[in-house]
Amino acid sequence: APVISQISKDVVASVGDSVEFNCTVEEVGQLSVSWAKRPSESDTNSVVLSMRNILSLPDQRYNVTVTEGPKTGSAIYTFRIQNIEVSDMGPYECQVLVSATEKVTKKLSLQIKTPPVIAENTPKSTLVTEGQNLELTCHANGFPKPTISWAREHNAVMPAGGHLLAEPTLRIRSVHRMDRGGYYCIAQNGEGQPDKRLIRVEVEFRPQIAVQRPKIAQMVSHSAELECSVQGYPAPTVVWHKNGVPLQSSRHHEVANTASSSGTTTSVLRIDSVGEEDFGDYYCNATNKLGHADARLHLFQTVIPVPSLS
Amino acid sequence: MGELEEKETPPTETTAAQQEALEEPKETDKMLDKKEDAKEKTPSPQTSKPASPNAGKKSSPVAEKKIDDAELAKSKSGNGEEIIDIPAENGTKPDSADDKKISKEEREVKPKKIPIGGLKLPGFFMKNKPKADGDGAEGELLEKEKEEDKDKEANGDAATGSGKDEQKSRPGLGERLRSFFARKPSAEKEKKQLVNGDADAKSEATAEATPAEDASDAPPKRGLLNAIKLPIANMIPKKKSNDDVELGLGKAGLASMETLDDSLKDQDTVDRAPVKTNGTEELKGELKDEKLAAEEKLAAEEEEQNRPVSLLTRLRGYKCSVDDALIVFGILLFVLLLGVIGYVLTHETLTSPPLREGRYIMAVTGCGPVEGVKEDGAFAFRGIPYAKPPVDRLRWKPAELIDDINMCWNDTLQTHNSSVVCTQRLGNGTTVGDEDCLYLDVVTPHVRYNNPLPVVVLIGAESLAGPSPGILRPSARYSRSHDVIFVRPNFRLGVFGFLALDALTKEAHPPTSGNYALTDIIAVLNWIKLNIVHFGGDPQSVTLLGHRAGATLVTLLVNSQKVKGLYTRAWASSGSAILPGKPLSESGKQNEQLMATLECADIQCLREASSERLWAATPDTWLHFPVDLPQPQEANASGSRHEWLVLDGDVVFEHPSDTWKREQANDKPVLVMGATAHEAHTEKLRELHANWTREEVRAYLENSQIGALGLTDEVIEKYNASSYASLVSIISDIRSVCPLLTNARQQPSVPFYVVTQGEGPDQLATVDADVQAILGRYEPHTVEQRRFVSAMQQLFYYYVSHGTVQSFVQNRRVINVGQDAQPEEDYLPCNYWISKDIVPRYARVD
């Protein structure tokens, strides 16, 4: 009976390389020997690529030759692939057709190196409320199998400390408002450039007010500006009060709210031509669905005009 | 010619006679009208006469009468009665002047008669004579007119003018009388009359001339002058107003003609007709002419009036325009005045706040007003809070700016002499200061908003455990003289400023710990950005000046992402070249011995410990570091030595050398590094020997790591080590100067200087020399030292103002500051120490 005495070992190649498979058959006689390719390991169907010294599938990249083997009555069937492509990856078989229903086969595997690619189903952003736990997992394809790590945007400190987390899953216990921001999932396997995916973590938290200048000085008949820096998500609504009365934008009072990329809302109350009755306490109140915060500012009188500070 | 004329005259005479006969009745009516006109006109001459001078009156009537007599005589040459009448009239007036005139007239008459009788034909005689005489008469008249014009110009008196006018009227009358006489006779008589008229004219001329001559001869000089003037005056008005005078004369003539007509009617009616006709026509023409003349005069007057009117209008217009210009000018002046007043008021309102009691001044901050005190020509505010007190739960927390009004003060904070410092360990082992210490001092020459000045932030500390601020105290005098504002902040020290522990890391968010003092300085820079404008400062021009341990902090800050936009440039003097590179967890473990000493198991326990206990629990090895020659045991212990500063991953993200590699060279240096040649000097070392000799220096070197490495002889030769100064120089180069130069070389744009100017008996450039010179506390005793102070100040303050370092050349990296600042290619001893692997291995810590 014919015997496949030898077959090449599994091959690992890169795109553009050339590979060669050798299959040595003894006592081949007049039997037909073929090279075939299976789509995947689990698929038993195969595509015949060649029979004896003839290509079944005409492809310029394929080449098949038959040479005499070391022993009498043996032959070496060589199958070559040039300019490897990703689709060439998969198992290959050397088949000897003994009869219509019986064949002797041996197989080898062709692996092709590919750069890492992060899976498309990775979310682009996620929303979490302060105090909750957060878990983010990142998957990536590529050969060799990529390693996954996490880092924060702008090299900020990770919630668990340090700057790099060498795990596929990012876990944040009791999310803090300062954990808000961009997180990079980084996949790398040494082939090509690492793949990065930015996932934005948005943390819902109640408003928090910071007043850089709690006391504002100005001279009568000059304009004054009172400023509140508000942080909160969703973006809070800011309202100004004096003596319990809301201050709407008018000829005398002008309120301007600006949002910055870092999620801070700055609210400026501008009082045009300060009068004696304008001195006193002002309140800045910020509200969102999670709560509210307020801060007090005081406008007092000076004998020299104070220029606008911006 | 004469003959032809004689032939032509007869036919005309016949025609005239016929017309006269036909028109007799009309003429009579016209004459009546004329008489009435004459009566009406008569009053005017009477009124004019009284105004005229007496001489004029006397002379003119006499002349006229004479003329009339002459005409009568000529016309009635055949009648003897008429001749008789004339002498009778003359006899009535016995005046001497009249007599003279009469005699002259007689003379004139006689010669005329004699030639007439002598000639062959009467017609020929009469015709020839009038032509010649007329020409002469005309010439004389023209001359007289000229004279009259001159007199008019000379005499401008109104009285003389009026006199002239009156005088003129009389000759006109005479002329009209002549014309009437001429018309009355027949054709031949008419001819004769024409001739007579000419003769009359001549006689008038001669009569006028003769009186002048008589006057000149008879009276004295004065009388002569007066006489001459009077006739001239008489002549002038006559010519001027001939028409008016003629009108008057016409009236008189008519009156006289009436009497004549009566006599003629009785004798010869035919003669009356032609005379009337001619007279009426002539009178009408004359009247018309007079009217036209009057109209012309009026028109001329109107024109004259118009011209001045136009001139007046122009003048008025000009005046109006002048007035308008004045008004506009006034308005402009007013507006300008308002502008000036406004500017002055505005300028006044922008001045500094007023002084209280002559030496206290108020400035405002975002937390309320502060009151400073005047000293040395500048204003000092000492003890202004810039961050929340770092006590209780905020102990070992990054500095937090005051963002809550409840943490501000009420009313005005008096910052006169407050000088609290952070709790710290002094050189003698004692502890001073408070834990609530995040305050800063501001020294400024002006409290104003215009012309903001550059800001210099003084970050001084001899070590990271104290003393601080050391010598880096602001100088009011130099603030004023160099127009800079000094800000000197306190920052936390020792374990309060730098303790890194895993337990602290875990409770923080983001998880990190350590380097709290750096966050203090970052808070200061934020405060400056928000408030320095109220003290006359420019937030866009902030220079960090660090000294010793303070310079180490400055070097780290310059490489931190946290201070971007908060400062402009930095100056690090005598800092440490050892910068943190160990992982945070490693530092945390090393610091756990503090917890063990305090018998604390958690952070709460640490937070409740008093500052005294914390200082007592601080290991002595943390408070002292080698500053002398390297010792053999240091070679093995380098890995375990304590460092206050750590890689916290937040403020200090990486080792600065990694930052230096990544960043590109800048045109303008943001950091200047420097050292002094003898900064390792200490009194303790100096007192080891009263006099350091070559042998003593050799022995000292031999006992150190240098001796262990067998380098003693090379070093002695290289440094010519034979004095205390040379020994100190060796130590300084190994511990400070050369390690810093190594760091500077990694930053191509960073200038590096070495102070080599010595002072004192050992001529040492001590660790404080450069900063003392900058702040004006270096006391020069020699010319070289004075030059050094000047050079040092020039380097620093030029850098503060302009951002560049004079004397810095890219390919000559080192600036040797002796009595001058000299750029040099290298600092030679350093290459030797680097090649022996002694630098930067044994660099000073802190």
Side-chain angles (χ1 to χ4, degrees), chain A residues 28-190:
Chain A
V28 63
Q30 296 301 315
L31 296 177
S32 175
V33 179
S34 303
W35 278 104
K37 181 176 187 295
R38 291 165 60 183
S40 64
E41 293 288 344
S42 59
D43 194 339
T44 56
N45 295 325
S46 62
V47 176
V48 175
L49 302 175
S50 68
M51 294 183 68
R52 295 195 182 89
N53 61 346
I54 301 171
L55 288 171
S56 302
L57 204 62
D59 190 327
Q60 282 189 346
R61 300 188 298 117
Y62 295 161
N63 184 14
V64 64
T65 59
V66 180
T67 57
E68 199 169 312
K71 295 181 179 179
T72 305
S74 68
I76 301 174
Y77 296 82
T78 303
F79 186 79
R80 295 188 183 84
I81 306 176
Q82 295 180 347
N83 205 16
I84 288 290
E85 298 174 357
V86 175
S87 59
D88 293 333
M89 183 170 65
Y92 289 78
E93 284 183 345
C94 175
Q95 301 173 348
V96 181
L97 302 178
V98 176
S99 67
T101 59
E102 183 184 1
K103 59 187 176 182
V104 177
T105 64
K106 278 197 174 179
K107 67 181 181 181
L108 60 81
S109 177
L110 173 61
Q111 289 284 351
I112 300 179
K113 296 176 181 177
T114 53
V117 174
I118 295 175
E120 287 299 330
N121 62 357
T122 305
K124 294 189 184 306
S125 67
T126 184
L127 180 67
V128 64
T129 302
E130 191 176 35
Q132 291 179 349
N133 297 334
L134 174 66
E135 202 170 274
L136 287 175
T137 304
C138 185
H139 301 281
N141 297 315
F143 187 88
K145 182 178 175 61
T147 59
I148 307 294
S149 58
W150 293 88
R152 281 192 77 171
E153 204 175 18
H154 309 311
N155 288 319
V157 180
M158 293 289 283
H163 292 274
L164 200 67
L165 177 67
E167 288 181 24
T169 301
L170 171 68
R171 293 185 177 85
I172 306 177
R173 286 188 296 106
S174 185
V175 171
H176 191 273
R177 62 192 64 182
M178 293 185 72
D179 296 333
R180 177 188 61 196
Y183 290 79
Y184 282 108
C185 166
I186 305 169
Q188 49 192 348
N189 64 1

Side-chain angles (χ1 to χ4, degrees), chain B residues 505-745:
Chain B
T505 300
K506 288 174 182 175
E507 74 161 21
H509 217 97
T512 182
S513 64
N515 294 339
Y516 314 112
L518 290 175
T519 66
D520 293 348
I521 299 172
I522 293 172
V524 168
L525 296 180
N526 275 290
W527 184 94
I528 288 172
K529 184 177 181 181
L530 292 169
N531 294 286
I532 200 62
V533 66
H534 300 298
F535 299 83
D538 181 1
Q540 305 299 321
S541 178
V542 176
T543 301
L544 311 179
L545 172 57
H547 184 232
R548 301 181 73 172
T552 310
L553 299 178
V554 167
T555 304
L556 282 178
L557 280 171
V558 160
N559 295 281
S560 175
Q561 293 289 329
K562 296 284 186 171
V563 295
K564 296 300 180 187
L566 294 180
Y567 80 101
T568 316
R569 54 191 76 89
W571 187 287
S573 163
S574 302
S576 168
I578 299 296
L579 301 170
K582 286 189 291 187
L584 181 60
S585 58
E586 185 177 334
S587 303
K589 288 174 183 174
Q590 189 178 20
N591 295 338
E592 281 177 359
Q593 70 180 94
L594 184 75
M595 298 183 72
T597 304
L598 290 168
E599 298 175 356
C600 285
D602 57 14
I603 298 302
Q604 184 62 26
C605 173
L606 279 181
R607 288 213 158 94
E608 290 168 357
S610 68
S611 58
E612 289 77 13
R613 289 188 62 213
L614 282 165
W615 279 116
T618 303
D620 201 59
T621 54
W622 295 13
L623 299 175
H624 299 97
F625 40 85
V627 294
D628 211 326
L629 281 172
Q631 299 300 314
Q633 59 269 24
E634 284 189 57
N636 303 322
S638 64
S640 61
R641 67 187 169 193
H642 176 261
E643 296 175 18
W644 286 110
L645 293 157
V646 298
L647 273 181
D648 63 78
D650 187 30
V651 176
V652 182
F653 173 73
E654 61 188 353
H655 191 282
S657 63
D658 295 328
T659 309
W660 299 336
K661 291 171 188 172
R662 182 173 61 252
E663 292 183 356
Q664 298 293 332
N666 296 323
D667 293 335
K668 283 192 172 184
V670 297
L671 175 64
V672 175
M673 299 176 71
T676 59
H678 306 105
E679 63 178 56
H681 160 68
T682 62
E683 290 300 327
K684 182 179 176 183
L685 179 62
R686 177 65 186 82
E687 290 165 4
L688 284 182
H689 296 284
N691 295 298
W692 284 82
T693 63
R694 177 181 293 269
E695 286 69 27
E696 284 158 342
V697 169
R698 167 183 288 275
Y700 202 77
L701 287 170
E702 195 65 29
N703 286 329
S704 69
Q705 177 71 354
I706 294 176
L709 295 172
L711 303 174
T712 305
D713 290 331
E714 290 183 30
V715 170
I716 290 178
E717 180 183 358
K718 192 172 290 295
Y719 279 84
N720 190 19
S722 61
S723 65
Y724 176 70
S726 56
L727 174 64
V728 173
S729 185
I730 294 168
I731 302 173
S732 301
D733 288 354
I734 293 172
R735 295 290 192 186
S736 301
V737 175
C738 298
L740 288 172
L741 177 55
T742 304
N743 283 355
R745 284 174 176 169

Side-chain angles (χ1 to χ4, degrees), chain A residues 177 180 205-216 225-232 236 238 240 257-258 262-269 282-287 292-298, chain B residues 366-367 388 399-408 526 530:
Chain A
R177 62 192 64 182
R180 177 188 61 196
F205 64 104
R206 59 187 297 134
Q208 183 177 2
I209 299 179
V211 181
Q212 291 185 321
R213 299 191 183 91
K215 293 193 175 183
I216 307 295
E225 292 179 354
L226 286 68
E227 179 177 312
C228 274
S229 284
V230 183
Q231 287 192 332
V238 183
W240 289 84
N257 294 328
T258 56
S262 64
T264 299
T265 299
T266 301
S267 181
V268 176
L269 170 66
Y282 290 77
Y283 289 86
C284 162
N285 184 281
T287 305
H292 69 86
D294 62 272
R296 179 167 68 94
L297 296 85
H298 185 77
Chain B
C367 225
K388 298 176 182 177
E400 295 184 9
L401 285 175
I402 297 172
D403 57 5
D404 187 345
I405 195 169
N406 297 311
M407 306 198 74
C408 296
N526 275 290
L530 292 169

Side-chain angles (χ1 to χ4, degrees), chain B residues 46-112:
Chain B
Q46 294 175 359
T47 57
S48 65
K49 288 179 183 179
S52 68
N54 296 327
K57 291 179 181 178
K58 293 178 181 177
S59 63
S60 59
V62 170
E64 292 175 1
K65 291 177 181 178
K66 291 179 181 178
I67 294 165
D68 294 343
D69 295 338
E71 290 176 355
L72 290 170
K74 293 176 183 178
S75 63
K76 300 178 179 178
S77 62
N79 296 329
E81 293 178 355
E82 292 181 356
I83 295 169
I84 291 166
D85 290 339
I86 295 169
E89 292 178 356
N90 290 331
T92 59
K93 297 180 179 179
D95 292 342
S96 63
D98 294 335
D99 292 337
K100 292 179 180 179
K101 293 179 181 179
I102 294 164
S103 64
K104 291 178 181 179
E105 289 176 355
E106 290 175 356
R107 292 174 185 175
E108 292 176 358
V109 170
K110 290 178 180 179
K112 290 180 180 179

Side-chain angles (χ1 to χ4, degrees), chain B residues 247-567:
Chain B
L247 289 169
L249 291 169
K251 295 178 181 178
L254 289 169
S256 63
M257 288 175 70
E258 289 175 358
T259 57
L260 292 170
D261 290 338
D262 293 339
S263 65
L264 288 170
K265 289 177 181 179
D266 294 342
Q267 296 175 2
D268 188 355
T269 58
V270 175
D271 293 335
R272 293 177 184 175
V275 169
K276 291 177 183 179
T277 303
N278 292 330
T280 55
E281 290 177 357
E282 290 179 0
L283 286 170
K284 289 179 181 179
E286 289 177 358
L287 288 169
K288 291 179 181 179
D289 292 335
E290 289 172 1
K291 291 179 181 179
L292 289 171
E295 290 178 358
E296 288 178 359
K297 290 180 181 179
L298 291 170
E301 290 176 358
E302 289 177 357
E303 288 178 358
E304 290 178 357
Q305 290 178 358
N306 288 334
R307 291 179 180 177
V309 167
S310 66
L311 290 172
L312 288 173
T313 53
R314 290 181 183 176
L315 289 172
R316 289 174 185 172
Y318 180 72
K319 290 178 179 178
C320 290
S321 66
V322 169
D323 291 338
D324 290 341
L326 287 173
I327 292 168
V328 171
F329 183 65
I331 292 172
L332 289 176
L333 277 179
F334 181 67
V335 171
L336 183 63
L337 186 63
L338 285 182
V340 170
I341 292 171
Y343 174 77
V344 169
L345 291 177
T346 304
H347 190 68
E348 287 179 352
T349 57
L350 286 176
T351 52
S352 300
L355 295 183
R356 182 175 73 88
E357 298 179 14
R359 66 193 192 101
Y360 298 114
I361 192 166
M362 195 190 80
V364 302
T365 71
C367 225
V370 293
E371 187 179 72
V373 65
K374 186 172 184 178
E375 67 176 52
D376 285 341
F379 300 102
F381 301 78
R382 295 202 167 85
I384 302 176
Y386 68 84
K388 298 176 182 177
V391 297
D392 302 326
R393 69 174 188 82
L394 291 184
R395 184 189 263 182
W396 298 309
K397 288 283 191 183
E400 295 184 9
L401 285 175
I402 297 172
D403 57 5
D404 187 345
I405 195 169
N406 297 311
M407 306 198 74
C408 296
W409 57 89
N410 292 322
D411 300 325
T412 300
L413 182 67
Q414 294 197 343
T415 56
H416 300 163
N417 288 311
S418 173
S419 60
V420 62
V421 295
C422 289
T423 178
Q424 56 189 261
R425 176 63 66 89
L426 299 183
N428 57 12
T430 60
T431 302
V432 299
D434 293 334
E435 202 171 342
D436 176 0
C437 64
L438 297 189
Y439 303 96
L440 54 79
D441 304 341
V442 177
V443 173
T444 177
H446 308 288
V447 176
R448 66 186 184 193
Y449 291 103
N450 51 331
N451 295 327
L453 301 176
V455 183
V456 176
V457 186
L458 306 175
I459 302 174
E462 293 185 17
S463 74
L464 293 178
S468 170
I471 64 162
L472 217 57
R473 299 184 305 280
S475 163
R477 185 162 54 88
Y478 267 62
S479 170
R480 179 168 48 83
S481 64
H482 286 279
D483 265 346
V484 297
I485 292 172
F486 289 118
V487 176
R488 187 207 67 76
N490 290 336
F491 48 89
R492 289 175 277 180
L493 299 159
V495 294
F496 304 91
F498 299 100
L499 183 63
L501 287 173
D502 287 343
L504 289 170
T505 300
K506 288 174 182 175
E507 74 161 21
H509 217 97
T512 182
S513 64
N515 294 339
Y516 314 112
L518 290 175
T519 66
D520 293 348
I521 299 172
I522 293 172
V524 168
L525 296 180
N526 275 290
W527 184 94
I528 288 172
K529 184 177 181 181
L530 292 169
N531 294 286
I532 200 62
V533 66
H534 300 298
F535 299 83
D538 181 1
Q540 305 299 321
S541 178
V542 176
T543 301
L544 311 179
L545 172 57
H547 184 232
R548 301 181 73 172
T552 310
L553 299 178
V554 167
T555 304
L556 282 178
L557 280 171
V558 160
N559 295 281
S560 175
Q561 293 289 329
K562 296 284 186 171
V563 295
K564 296 300 180 187
L566 294 180
Y567 80 101

